[in-house]
Amino acid sequence: MLTWPAPHVPRLPGEGPVVRVHDSSTGLLVPASSGPTATLYVCGITPYDATHLGHAATAVAFDVLNRAWRDSGLSVRFASNVTDVDDPLLERAAATGVDWRSLADDQIALYAEDMTALGVIPPDVYRGVVEVLPDVVVAVEALLEAGAAYRVPTPDAVDDGTGLGDVYADLTADHDFGAVAGLDRDTMLALSAERGGDPERPGKRDPLDPLLWRRERAGEPAWDGGTLGRGRPGWHIECAVIARDGLGLPFDVQGGGSDLLFPHHEMSTSHARLLDAGHGARVHVHAGMVGLDGEKMSKSRGNLVLVSTLRDQGEDPMAIRLALLAHRYRHDWEWSADQLAQARARLASWRRAVSGNGGPDATATLSAVRAAVAEDLDTPMALHAVDDWAARAVHGAEEPVEGAPGVVARAVDALLGVRL
Ligand code: 5CA
Ligand code: ZN
């Protein structure tokens, strides 16, 4: 799948500190990387509606991690996916009378435009599930072979004479199941029903067992599944296969919004473990949910503020990015229009402050921004450090240091992705 153009990331003098992040599984602050090349997988979009500020906030949060890692002297390998076939996409296409492929293509293109405008560094590995389908089939066959998956009779499948059923993972095969989210069973059952699982499906060994392969149903797209029969993949196996093939196992950080902690990341990590000798992601990092009017912003609820709408209204994408960075990535927060007005004012004041040749010494500001992003991506703290420098620059009481505004502008660009 085509990505979008990479933004220029300026080099800064010296190096940033080791980056630490909050691990959702343990609740601890831990080093985010484990070697000279940091590896990151972030769950991408299901392309049935345009990029809203929740998607943008999650993408920007992990972009800050990517930038902080680079600044600390590491190489970064970043992989992401596009869930370009799944129930919500097919349902939306059917409801609006649009072909599901053209709906997906349009939204994938719009997402790329939004990410370009927001200055998000593109993934090195960017795969749609349709592209990796043969690899998913081999993975599901391997899980069946290993006794970690089973078939469930599927009388409503298109009759092709094979009589093959849907395939589900057998969670009892994974002794570490549950370690990612650490939830009790009732919560897991409730979240599974809410977030794409099918605990009521008859014939499963355990209501939580997740779908790996869905046999073809009338009117649904389907592909050759080898010994699985024609059909399409379940959701979680997609991310397990793309992360394994794009990054290798184990990899450093599995990221996404907190709505994915369970079941998606629990299940995809479980699949990865069974595919590769117990290895999944080292650290699980989740961005909070962006809400609007008291509810999670979501395509299914329709309470969306779209990045593309704001751009069409002439909003500077850097102001949108600054509005997102003003929140701790891990906390849930509510969008409101006044946040954009504040971000616009901040952007203007920073631009004014860096417009001269000289300004207050930038050494401490650079260190403060670096320290803030390296400590669990504390972007509000980083913004305050720049605000402080900008206020002093405008005040003009300090002996000006030549080149200092350039250092601040490059730091803001490289570490926060905000071009002044
Ligand atoms: N394709 C799957 C992941 S494999 C998916 O969840 N797609 S999505 O389009 O629904 O979401 C794309 C990314 O945005 C995910 O990381 C998701 O956790 C995040 N996201 C969705 N809604 C919000 C929100 N309201 N606030 C913050 N992040 C969100
Ligand atoms: Zn995913």
Side-chain angles (χ1 to χ4, degrees):
M1 179 150 301
L2 288 175
T3 57
W4 52 91
H8 173 67
V9 180
R11 283 201 62 80
L12 299 173
E15 245 174 34
V18 170
V19 183
R20 301 199 307 161
V21 289
H22 177 270
D23 181 3
S24 308
S25 302
T26 59
L28 301 174
L29 264 189
V30 295
S33 60
S34 57
T37 299
T39 45
L40 169 68
Y41 186 90
V42 181
C43 283
I45 54 163
T46 305
Y48 69 92
D49 214 336
T51 325
H52 60 63
L53 289 171
H55 303 136
T58 293
V60 164
F62 289 98
D63 186 54
V64 172
L65 172 60
N66 190 338
R67 287 164 183 273
W69 265 339
R70 288 165 183 239
D71 183 56
S72 73
L74 300 178
S75 306
V76 178
R77 190 163 168 81
F78 168 30
S80 190
N81 69 307
V82 175
T83 307
D84 57 358
V85 62
D86 201 8
D87 295 341
L89 172 66
L90 301 175
E91 284 159 17
R92 176 63 63 89
T96 50
V98 182
D99 179 70
W100 65 273
R101 282 183 215 80
S102 60
L103 174 61
D105 287 347
D106 288 352
Q107 298 312 325
I108 291 166
L110 186 57
Y111 183 72
E113 278 178 33
D114 289 335
M115 291 298 109
T116 309
L118 291 171
V120 173
I121 298 172
D124 304 294
V125 175
Y126 193 43
R127 300 273 182 272
V129 61
V130 174
E131 281 176 317
V132 302
L133 236 132
D135 306 320
V136 170
V137 169
V138 171
V140 176
E141 287 174 336
L143 291 175
L144 273 169
E145 187 72 18
Y150 58 96
R151 292 190 164 94
V152 173
T154 309
D156 58 332
V158 169
D159 185 6
D160 60 356
T162 64
L164 290 167
D166 294 340
V167 181
Y168 283 82
D170 185 339
L171 293 174
T172 59
D174 175 15
H175 302 300
D176 290 327
F177 175 74
V180 172
L183 299 172
D184 62 65
R185 189 171 167 84
D186 285 348
T187 309
M188 289 198 280
L189 283 167
L191 287 176
S192 164
E194 203 180 295
R195 297 176 177 169
D198 55 359
E200 308 287 334
R201 166 78 193 259
K204 295 206 301 184
R205 293 179 187 165
D206 184 304
L208 288 175
D209 288 347
L211 179 70
L212 290 167
W213 186 255
R214 176 175 165 88
R215 292 299 320 283
E216 182 175 10
R217 307 294 203 276
E220 288 187 10
W223 291 263
D224 178 13
T227 60
L228 308 177
R230 281 180 65 77
R232 61 183 165 100
W235 175 25
H236 319 299
I237 188 70
E238 154 190 357
C239 289
V241 166
I242 296 172
R244 178 196 65 182
D245 295 346
L247 303 175
L249 296 175
F251 58 100
D252 287 323
V253 170
Q254 162 84 68
S258 59
D259 57 336
L260 300 184
L261 175 59
F262 192 90
H264 184 51
H265 289 164
E266 190 75 63
M267 299 304 179
S268 57
T269 301
S270 174
H271 298 336
R273 272 191 212 112
L274 293 172
L275 288 170
D276 189 55
H279 295 134
R282 284 181 47 249
V283 184
H284 290 266
V285 180
H286 290 96
M289 288 292 105
V290 180
L292 186 71
D293 305 328
E295 287 202 83
K296 168 189 164 189
M297 198 178 280
S298 77
K299 291 176 275 207
S300 50
R301 288 191 179 87
N303 59 340
L304 307 180
V305 177
L306 303 181
V307 174
S308 47
T309 309
L310 297 176
R311 290 197 293 118
D312 287 346
Q313 290 166 354
E315 197 55 67
D316 186 330
M318 292 299 105
I320 305 173
R321 183 157 174 136
L322 263 185
L324 303 174
L325 293 171
H327 296 273
R328 274 322 292 272
Y329 82 95
R330 229 156 44 74
H331 300 160
D332 295 348
W333 56 275
E334 290 257 324
W335 174 257
S336 59
D338 60 310
Q339 294 171 30
L340 199 48
Q342 280 167 22
R344 231 181 271 135
R346 177 175 255 152
L347 188 61
S349 84
W350 289 9
R351 282 185 173 150
R352 250 194 327 275
V354 299
S355 63
N357 243 341
D361 185 61
T363 317
T365 307
L366 173 59
S367 299
V369 173
R370 274 183 160 145
V373 293
E375 192 67 356
D376 200 24
L377 318 178
D378 190 344
T379 54
M381 178 91 95
L383 302 197
H384 287 308
V386 180
D387 284 343
D388 176 65
W389 181 88
R392 290 189 284 125
V394 170
H395 195 241
E398 290 165 55
E399 185 64 34
V401 175
E402 202 174 330
V407 172
V408 173
R410 283 196 296 283
V412 165
D413 188 352
L415 293 164
L416 300 172
V418 175
R419 292 181 300 270
L420 296 180

